Structure formats: C-alpha cells, structure tokens
mmCIF file of all heavy atoms in Angstrom:
data_model
loop_
_atom_site.group_PDB
_atom_site.id
_atom_site.type_symbol
_atom_site.label_atom_id
_atom_site.label_comp_id
_atom_site.label_asym_id
_atom_site.label_seq_id
_atom_site.Cartn_x
_atom_site.Cartn_y
_atom_site.Cartn_z
ATOM 1 N N THR X 1431 4.464 -11.774 1.319
ATOM 2 C CA THR X 1431 5.107 -10.677 2.049
ATOM 3 C C THR X 1431 4.198 -9.460 2.184
ATOM 4 O O THR X 1431 4.599 -8.449 2.788
ATOM 5 C CB THR X 1431 6.421 -10.231 1.345
ATOM 6 O OG1 THR X 1431 6.128 -9.932 -0.023
ATOM 7 C CG2 THR X 1431 7.428 -11.370 1.391
ATOM 8 N N ASN X 1432 2.964 -9.526 1.659
ATOM 9 C CA ASN X 1432 2.039 -8.423 1.766
ATOM 10 C C ASN X 1432 0.622 -8.967 1.974
ATOM 11 O O ASN X 1432 0.217 -9.902 1.316
ATOM 12 C CB ASN X 1432 2.035 -7.580 0.491
ATOM 13 C CG ASN X 1432 3.338 -6.896 0.200
ATOM 14 O OD1 ASN X 1432 3.596 -5.806 0.649
ATOM 15 N ND2 ASN X 1432 4.206 -7.584 -0.524
ATOM 16 N N LEU X 1433 -0.099 -8.349 2.912
ATOM 17 C CA LEU X 1433 -1.476 -8.697 3.121
ATOM 18 C C LEU X 1433 -2.350 -7.476 2.844
ATOM 19 O O LEU X 1433 -2.917 -6.857 3.721
ATOM 20 C CB LEU X 1433 -1.701 -9.198 4.543
ATOM 21 C CG LEU X 1433 -1.143 -10.553 4.878
ATOM 22 C CD1 LEU X 1433 -1.333 -10.880 6.368
ATOM 23 C CD2 LEU X 1433 -1.768 -11.653 4.047
ATOM 24 N N THR X 1434 -2.433 -7.108 1.583
ATOM 25 C CA THR X 1434 -3.256 -5.947 1.224
ATOM 26 C C THR X 1434 -3.748 -6.088 -0.229
ATOM 27 O O THR X 1434 -2.987 -5.996 -1.167
ATOM 28 C CB THR X 1434 -2.427 -4.643 1.330
ATOM 29 O OG1 THR X 1434 -3.085 -3.604 0.610
ATOM 30 C CG2 THR X 1434 -1.000 -4.805 0.804
ATOM 31 N N SER X 1435 -5.029 -6.388 -0.369
ATOM 32 C CA SER X 1435 -5.553 -6.659 -1.688
ATOM 33 C C SER X 1435 -5.480 -5.447 -2.598
ATOM 34 O O SER X 1435 -4.977 -5.525 -3.710
ATOM 35 C CB SER X 1435 -7.014 -7.132 -1.581
ATOM 36 O OG SER X 1435 -7.795 -6.166 -0.863
ATOM 37 N N ALA X 1436 -5.955 -4.282 -2.105
ATOM 38 C CA ALA X 1436 -5.907 -3.084 -2.922
ATOM 39 C C ALA X 1436 -4.507 -2.664 -3.236
ATOM 40 O O ALA X 1436 -4.173 -2.260 -4.349
ATOM 41 C CB ALA X 1436 -6.677 -1.961 -2.222
ATOM 42 N N GLY X 1437 -3.641 -2.744 -2.227
ATOM 43 C CA GLY X 1437 -2.244 -2.368 -2.425
ATOM 44 C C GLY X 1437 -1.525 -3.260 -3.435
ATOM 45 O O GLY X 1437 -0.756 -2.767 -4.287
ATOM 46 N N GLN X 1438 -1.799 -4.560 -3.360
ATOM 47 C CA GLN X 1438 -1.146 -5.482 -4.285
ATOM 48 C C GLN X 1438 -1.697 -5.296 -5.717
ATOM 49 O O GLN X 1438 -0.928 -5.361 -6.684
ATOM 50 C CB GLN X 1438 -1.375 -6.930 -3.845
ATOM 51 C CG GLN X 1438 -0.496 -7.317 -2.661
ATOM 52 C CD GLN X 1438 -0.715 -8.745 -2.239
ATOM 53 O OE1 GLN X 1438 -1.067 -9.009 -1.097
ATOM 54 N NE2 GLN X 1438 -0.476 -9.663 -3.144
ATOM 55 N N ALA X 1439 -2.984 -5.087 -5.834
ATOM 56 C CA ALA X 1439 -3.582 -4.884 -7.160
ATOM 57 C C ALA X 1439 -2.975 -3.624 -7.815
ATOM 58 O O ALA X 1439 -2.592 -3.674 -9.001
ATOM 59 C CB ALA X 1439 -5.089 -4.752 -7.040
ATOM 60 N N ALA X 1440 -2.844 -2.554 -7.061
ATOM 61 C CA ALA X 1440 -2.243 -1.325 -7.559
ATOM 62 C C ALA X 1440 -0.768 -1.563 -7.864
ATOM 63 O O ALA X 1440 -0.258 -1.088 -8.885
ATOM 64 C CB ALA X 1440 -2.437 -0.190 -6.593
ATOM 65 N N GLY X 1441 -0.098 -2.270 -6.987
ATOM 66 C CA GLY X 1441 1.337 -2.516 -7.168
ATOM 67 C C GLY X 1441 1.622 -3.357 -8.426
ATOM 68 O O GLY X 1441 2.567 -3.065 -9.162
ATOM 69 N N ILE X 1442 0.810 -4.353 -8.677
ATOM 70 C CA ILE X 1442 0.982 -5.179 -9.862
ATOM 71 C C ILE X 1442 0.777 -4.349 -11.118
ATOM 72 O O ILE X 1442 1.479 -4.511 -12.109
ATOM 73 C CB ILE X 1442 0.030 -6.402 -9.816
ATOM 74 C CG1 ILE X 1442 0.456 -7.376 -8.737
ATOM 75 C CG2 ILE X 1442 -0.060 -7.106 -11.156
ATOM 76 C CD1 ILE X 1442 -0.533 -8.499 -8.447
ATOM 77 N N GLU X 1443 -0.200 -3.476 -11.069
ATOM 78 C CA GLU X 1443 -0.482 -2.611 -12.237
ATOM 79 C C GLU X 1443 0.699 -1.703 -12.498
ATOM 80 O O GLU X 1443 1.065 -1.433 -13.660
ATOM 81 C CB GLU X 1443 -1.744 -1.814 -12.021
ATOM 82 C CG GLU X 1443 -2.228 -1.072 -13.240
ATOM 83 C CD GLU X 1443 -3.629 -0.474 -13.087
ATOM 84 O OE1 GLU X 1443 -4.249 -0.770 -12.065
ATOM 85 O OE2 GLU X 1443 -4.034 0.250 -14.001
ATOM 86 N N ILE X 1444 1.321 -1.163 -11.396
ATOM 87 C CA ILE X 1444 2.466 -0.297 -11.588
ATOM 88 C C ILE X 1444 3.667 -1.072 -12.122
ATOM 89 O O ILE X 1444 4.391 -0.596 -12.991
ATOM 90 C CB ILE X 1444 2.850 0.359 -10.218
ATOM 91 C CG1 ILE X 1444 1.732 1.301 -9.803
ATOM 92 C CG2 ILE X 1444 4.175 1.097 -10.342
ATOM 93 C CD1 ILE X 1444 1.914 1.846 -8.401
ATOM 94 N N ILE X 1445 3.863 -2.290 -11.644
ATOM 95 C CA ILE X 1445 4.959 -3.118 -12.159
ATOM 96 C C ILE X 1445 4.751 -3.411 -13.629
ATOM 97 O O ILE X 1445 5.706 -3.352 -14.427
ATOM 98 C CB ILE X 1445 5.020 -4.449 -11.351
ATOM 99 C CG1 ILE X 1445 5.469 -4.161 -9.908
ATOM 100 C CG2 ILE X 1445 6.008 -5.447 -12.008
ATOM 101 C CD1 ILE X 1445 5.416 -5.400 -9.027
ATOM 102 N N ALA X 1446 3.522 -3.751 -14.002
ATOM 103 C CA ALA X 1446 3.236 -4.095 -15.404
ATOM 104 C C ALA X 1446 3.464 -2.877 -16.327
ATOM 105 O O ALA X 1446 3.866 -3.052 -17.502
ATOM 106 C CB ALA X 1446 1.771 -4.580 -15.530
ATOM 107 N N SER X 1447 3.218 -1.679 -15.807
ATOM 108 C CA SER X 1447 3.399 -0.460 -16.642
ATOM 109 C C SER X 1447 4.790 0.119 -16.496
ATOM 110 O O SER X 1447 5.020 1.228 -16.961
ATOM 111 C CB SER X 1447 2.346 0.572 -16.256
ATOM 112 O OG SER X 1447 2.500 0.959 -14.896
ATOM 113 N N MET X 1448 5.709 -0.635 -15.808
ATOM 114 C CA MET X 1448 7.097 -0.192 -15.617
ATOM 115 C C MET X 1448 7.187 1.148 -14.894
ATOM 116 O O MET X 1448 7.933 2.055 -15.233
ATOM 117 C CB MET X 1448 7.809 -0.085 -16.974
ATOM 118 C CG MET X 1448 7.797 -1.356 -17.787
ATOM 119 S SD MET X 1448 8.750 -2.671 -16.964
ATOM 120 C CE MET X 1448 10.412 -2.079 -17.150
ATOM 121 N N GLY X 1449 6.355 1.285 -13.829
ATOM 122 C CA GLY X 1449 6.348 2.513 -13.051
ATOM 123 C C GLY X 1449 7.624 2.649 -12.216
ATOM 124 O O GLY X 1449 8.348 1.685 -12.008
ATOM 125 N N SER X 1450 7.847 3.851 -11.675
ATOM 126 C CA SER X 1450 9.031 4.106 -10.868
ATOM 127 C C SER X 1450 8.838 3.668 -9.432
ATOM 128 O O SER X 1450 7.706 3.403 -8.989
ATOM 129 C CB SER X 1450 9.362 5.607 -10.900
ATOM 130 O OG SER X 1450 8.328 6.345 -10.251
ATOM 131 N N LEU X 1451 9.942 3.564 -8.679
ATOM 132 C CA LEU X 1451 9.867 3.185 -7.269
ATOM 133 C C LEU X 1451 9.204 4.253 -6.450
ATOM 134 O O LEU X 1451 8.461 3.937 -5.508
ATOM 135 C CB LEU X 1451 11.294 2.944 -6.740
ATOM 136 C CG LEU X 1451 12.046 1.749 -7.280
ATOM 137 C CD1 LEU X 1451 13.468 1.676 -6.738
ATOM 138 C CD2 LEU X 1451 11.299 0.433 -6.968
ATOM 139 N N ILE X 1452 9.397 5.512 -6.821
ATOM 140 C CA ILE X 1452 8.712 6.597 -6.105
ATOM 141 C C ILE X 1452 7.207 6.493 -6.270
ATOM 142 O O ILE X 1452 6.422 6.648 -5.337
ATOM 143 C CB ILE X 1452 9.219 7.973 -6.598
ATOM 144 C CG1 ILE X 1452 10.682 8.132 -6.246
ATOM 145 C CG2 ILE X 1452 8.392 9.093 -6.005
ATOM 146 C CD1 ILE X 1452 11.297 9.430 -6.762
ATOM 147 N N GLU X 1453 6.801 6.215 -7.506
ATOM 148 C CA GLU X 1453 5.375 6.002 -7.792
ATOM 149 C C GLU X 1453 4.816 4.857 -6.970
ATOM 150 O O GLU X 1453 3.732 4.962 -6.386
ATOM 151 C CB GLU X 1453 5.217 5.701 -9.294
ATOM 152 C CG GLU X 1453 3.800 5.573 -9.760
ATOM 153 C CD GLU X 1453 3.726 5.320 -11.238
ATOM 154 O OE1 GLU X 1453 4.752 5.430 -11.922
ATOM 155 O OE2 GLU X 1453 2.617 4.993 -11.738
ATOM 156 N N MET X 1454 5.523 3.765 -6.885
ATOM 157 C CA MET X 1454 5.113 2.607 -6.099
ATOM 158 C C MET X 1454 4.987 2.954 -4.614
ATOM 159 O O MET X 1454 4.008 2.637 -3.952
ATOM 160 C CB MET X 1454 6.094 1.461 -6.312
ATOM 161 C CG MET X 1454 5.819 0.212 -5.445
ATOM 162 S SD MET X 1454 4.321 -0.678 -5.982
ATOM 163 C CE MET X 1454 4.981 -1.584 -7.394
ATOM 164 N N ALA X 1455 6.025 3.640 -4.102
ATOM 165 C CA ALA X 1455 6.043 3.967 -2.655
ATOM 166 C C ALA X 1455 4.894 4.890 -2.275
ATOM 167 O O ALA X 1455 4.212 4.672 -1.270
ATOM 168 C CB ALA X 1455 7.389 4.633 -2.304
ATOM 169 N N LEU X 1456 4.655 5.929 -3.093
ATOM 170 C CA LEU X 1456 3.608 6.880 -2.762
ATOM 171 C C LEU X 1456 2.203 6.227 -2.864
ATOM 172 O O LEU X 1456 1.310 6.478 -2.071
ATOM 173 C CB LEU X 1456 3.642 8.086 -3.718
ATOM 174 C CG LEU X 1456 4.825 9.027 -3.504
ATOM 175 C CD1 LEU X 1456 4.852 10.103 -4.582
ATOM 176 C CD2 LEU X 1456 4.764 9.682 -2.144
ATOM 177 N N THR X 1457 2.053 5.357 -3.871
ATOM 178 C CA THR X 1457 0.785 4.670 -4.047
ATOM 179 C C THR X 1457 0.506 3.757 -2.853
ATOM 180 O O THR X 1457 -0.613 3.764 -2.303
ATOM 181 C CB THR X 1457 0.787 3.824 -5.349
ATOM 182 O OG1 THR X 1457 1.049 4.661 -6.457
ATOM 183 C CG2 THR X 1457 -0.533 3.096 -5.528
ATOM 184 N N GLN X 1458 1.475 2.992 -2.438
ATOM 185 C CA GLN X 1458 1.300 2.098 -1.316
ATOM 186 C C GLN X 1458 1.056 2.866 -0.036
ATOM 187 O O GLN X 1458 0.262 2.432 0.841
ATOM 188 C CB GLN X 1458 2.520 1.184 -1.157
ATOM 189 C CG GLN X 1458 2.776 0.227 -2.317
ATOM 190 C CD GLN X 1458 1.563 -0.635 -2.668
ATOM 191 O OE1 GLN X 1458 0.921 -1.193 -1.766
ATOM 192 N NE2 GLN X 1458 1.240 -0.700 -3.947
ATOM 193 N N LEU X 1459 1.728 4.003 0.130
ATOM 194 C CA LEU X 1459 1.538 4.838 1.323
ATOM 195 C C LEU X 1459 0.078 5.283 1.433
ATOM 196 O O LEU X 1459 -0.536 5.174 2.500
ATOM 197 C CB LEU X 1459 2.468 6.034 1.286
ATOM 198 C CG LEU X 1459 2.269 7.029 2.431
ATOM 199 C CD1 LEU X 1459 2.619 6.412 3.766
ATOM 200 C CD2 LEU X 1459 3.168 8.268 2.193
ATOM 201 N N ILE X 1460 -0.470 5.790 0.331
ATOM 202 C CA ILE X 1460 -1.845 6.312 0.378
ATOM 203 C C ILE X 1460 -2.860 5.185 0.557
ATOM 204 O O ILE X 1460 -3.805 5.284 1.348
ATOM 205 C CB ILE X 1460 -2.133 7.079 -0.936
ATOM 206 C CG1 ILE X 1460 -1.313 8.393 -0.929
ATOM 207 C CG2 ILE X 1460 -3.611 7.374 -1.060
ATOM 208 C CD1 ILE X 1460 -1.478 9.214 -2.185
ATOM 209 N N ILE X 1461 -2.680 4.082 -0.182
ATOM 210 C CA ILE X 1461 -3.650 2.977 -0.099
ATOM 211 C C ILE X 1461 -3.632 2.307 1.258
ATOM 212 O O ILE X 1461 -4.650 1.935 1.807
ATOM 213 C CB ILE X 1461 -3.346 1.944 -1.215
ATOM 214 C CG1 ILE X 1461 -3.657 2.556 -2.582
ATOM 215 C CG2 ILE X 1461 -4.192 0.690 -1.024
ATOM 216 C CD1 ILE X 1461 -3.381 1.624 -3.753
ATOM 217 N N ASN X 1462 -2.421 2.134 1.822
ATOM 218 C CA ASN X 1462 -2.287 1.329 3.055
ATOM 219 C C ASN X 1462 -2.177 2.180 4.333
ATOM 220 O O ASN X 1462 -1.925 1.634 5.399
ATOM 221 C CB ASN X 1462 -1.056 0.421 2.927
ATOM 222 C CG ASN X 1462 -1.207 -0.569 1.830
ATOM 223 O OD1 ASN X 1462 -2.280 -1.144 1.606
ATOM 224 N ND2 ASN X 1462 -0.133 -0.776 1.053
ATOM 225 N N LEU X 1463 -2.361 3.505 4.216
ATOM 226 C CA LEU X 1463 -2.228 4.352 5.402
ATOM 227 C C LEU X 1463 -3.266 3.971 6.457
ATOM 228 O O LEU X 1463 -3.002 4.177 7.663
ATOM 229 C CB LEU X 1463 -2.412 5.812 4.978
ATOM 230 C CG LEU X 1463 -2.120 6.867 6.034
ATOM 231 C CD1 LEU X 1463 -0.682 6.756 6.545
ATOM 232 C CD2 LEU X 1463 -2.379 8.276 5.494
ATOM 233 N N ARG X 1464 -4.373 3.436 6.047
ATOM 234 C CA ARG X 1464 -5.419 3.098 7.019
ATOM 235 C C ARG X 1464 -4.955 2.046 8.025
ATOM 236 O O ARG X 1464 -5.458 1.995 9.140
ATOM 237 C CB ARG X 1464 -6.674 2.585 6.285
ATOM 238 C CG ARG X 1464 -6.529 1.227 5.609
ATOM 239 C CD ARG X 1464 -7.760 0.934 4.780
ATOM 240 N NE ARG X 1464 -7.766 -0.446 4.280
ATOM 241 C CZ ARG X 1464 -7.118 -0.850 3.199
ATOM 242 N NH1 ARG X 1464 -6.359 0.003 2.516
ATOM 243 N NH2 ARG X 1464 -7.191 -2.103 2.808
ATOM 244 N N TYR X 1465 -4.016 1.209 7.613
ATOM 245 C CA TYR X 1465 -3.518 0.158 8.514
ATOM 246 C C TYR X 1465 -2.803 0.756 9.702
ATOM 247 O O TYR X 1465 -2.803 0.181 10.794
ATOM 248 C CB TYR X 1465 -2.618 -0.818 7.767
ATOM 249 C CG TYR X 1465 -3.352 -1.621 6.713
ATOM 250 C CD1 TYR X 1465 -2.870 -1.753 5.427
ATOM 251 C CD2 TYR X 1465 -4.523 -2.326 7.067
ATOM 252 C CE1 TYR X 1465 -3.547 -2.514 4.495
ATOM 253 C CE2 TYR X 1465 -5.196 -3.058 6.146
ATOM 254 C CZ TYR X 1465 -4.707 -3.157 4.844
ATOM 255 O OH TYR X 1465 -5.396 -3.913 3.913
ATOM 256 N N ALA X 1466 -2.144 1.879 9.500
ATOM 257 C CA ALA X 1466 -1.486 2.551 10.632
ATOM 258 C C ALA X 1466 -2.535 3.018 11.636
ATOM 259 O O ALA X 1466 -2.308 2.887 12.861
ATOM 260 C CB ALA X 1466 -0.667 3.751 10.094
ATOM 261 N N LEU X 1467 -3.647 3.560 11.164
ATOM 262 C CA LEU X 1467 -4.704 3.996 12.049
ATOM 263 C C LEU X 1467 -5.314 2.789 12.788
ATOM 264 O O LEU X 1467 -5.632 2.868 13.967
ATOM 265 C CB LEU X 1467 -5.756 4.743 11.284
ATOM 266 C CG LEU X 1467 -5.283 5.974 10.498
ATOM 267 C CD1 LEU X 1467 -6.409 6.610 9.729
ATOM 268 C CD2 LEU X 1467 -4.655 6.982 11.470
ATOM 269 N N MET X 1468 -5.464 1.693 12.060
ATOM 270 C CA MET X 1468 -6.014 0.482 12.678
ATOM 271 C C MET X 1468 -5.054 -0.022 13.755
ATOM 272 O O MET X 1468 -5.500 -0.445 14.830
ATOM 273 C CB MET X 1468 -6.210 -0.636 11.626
ATOM 274 C CG MET X 1468 -7.327 -0.356 10.647
ATOM 275 S SD MET X 1468 -7.479 -1.718 9.459
ATOM 276 C CE MET X 1468 -8.622 -1.041 8.308
ATOM 277 N N GLY X 1469 -3.774 -0.006 13.464
ATOM 278 C CA GLY X 1469 -2.790 -0.461 14.421
ATOM 279 C C GLY X 1469 -2.800 0.361 15.718
ATOM 280 O O GLY X 1469 -2.702 -0.177 16.818
ATOM 281 N N ILE X 1470 -2.904 1.683 15.559
ATOM 282 C CA ILE X 1470 -2.967 2.566 16.745
ATOM 283 C C ILE X 1470 -4.208 2.267 17.571
ATOM 284 O O ILE X 1470 -4.113 2.185 18.812
ATOM 285 C CB ILE X 1470 -2.954 4.056 16.296
ATOM 286 C CG1 ILE X 1470 -1.605 4.382 15.653
ATOM 287 C CG2 ILE X 1470 -3.228 4.946 17.495
ATOM 288 C CD1 ILE X 1470 -1.564 5.757 15.018
ATOM 289 N N SER X 1471 -5.321 2.066 16.901
ATOM 290 C CA SER X 1471 -6.576 1.745 17.602
ATOM 291 C C SER X 1471 -6.490 0.375 18.270
ATOM 292 O O SER X 1471 -6.869 0.214 19.428
ATOM 293 C CB SER X 1471 -7.735 1.785 16.622
ATOM 294 O OG SER X 1471 -8.946 1.462 17.268
ATOM 295 N N LEU X 1472 -5.959 -0.610 17.571
ATOM 296 C CA LEU X 1472 -5.898 -1.984 18.097
ATOM 297 C C LEU X 1472 -4.893 -2.111 19.237
ATOM 298 O O LEU X 1472 -5.037 -2.966 20.109
ATOM 299 C CB LEU X 1472 -5.503 -2.940 16.967
ATOM 300 C CG LEU X 1472 -5.572 -4.450 17.279
ATOM 301 C CD1 LEU X 1472 -6.984 -4.863 17.726
ATOM 302 C CD2 LEU X 1472 -5.126 -5.277 16.080
ATOM 303 N N SER X 1473 -3.923 -1.242 19.299
ATOM 304 C CA SER X 1473 -2.920 -1.301 20.362
ATOM 305 C C SER X 1473 -3.544 -1.115 21.726
ATOM 306 O O SER X 1473 -2.985 -1.605 22.736
ATOM 307 C CB SER X 1473 -1.850 -0.214 20.113
ATOM 308 O OG SER X 1473 -2.390 1.082 20.250
ATOM 309 N N GLN X 1474 -4.733 -0.498 21.789
ATOM 310 C CA GLN X 1474 -5.404 -0.327 23.053
ATOM 311 C C GLN X 1474 -6.068 -1.621 23.552
ATOM 312 O O GLN X 1474 -6.431 -1.703 24.710
ATOM 313 C CB GLN X 1474 -6.485 0.766 22.913
ATOM 314 C CG GLN X 1474 -6.014 2.063 22.287
ATOM 315 C CD GLN X 1474 -4.839 2.660 22.988
ATOM 316 O OE1 GLN X 1474 -4.869 2.803 24.220
ATOM 317 N NE2 GLN X 1474 -3.812 3.035 22.247
#
C-alpha cells in the first residue's frame, strides 16, 4: 500500500517505538512531500 522506501523505513521505526499518529503523519508528510512536486511536474 506504499511505494516509498524512506517513508516506510521511518514509519516502521515509529511503529516500533510506539509513536503517535500525529508523529507518523508529520513524518510521512515531510519525507514524501517531494512526490507531490513530482506529480505536478509529471502532469505536464
């Protein structure tokens, strides 16, 4: 359900450390924000 190596690695570490959902959401937002920029560029 995810194609992001860095995002998944960080997510697994947060799960293992019993992190909060807010922590998970913010981490994934920052790590995977580049995909939004790629999508905008690729749309052309």
Side-chain angles (χ1 to χ4, degrees):
T1431 54
N1432 296 271
L1433 288 176
T1434 163
S1435 56
Q1438 284 181 239
I1442 290 172
E1443 190 169 352
I1444 293 173
I1445 292 173
S1447 61
M1448 303 295 290
S1450 65
L1451 292 177
I1452 295 178
E1453 184 179 350
M1454 176 70 80
L1456 290 175
T1457 302
Q1458 297 305 315
L1459 175 64
I1460 290 177
I1461 292 178
N1462 297 318
L1463 188 60
R1464 70 187 189 279
Y1465 292 130
L1467 302 177
M1468 291 180 189
I1470 294 173
S1471 179
L1472 188 58
S1473 66
Q1474 310 304 312

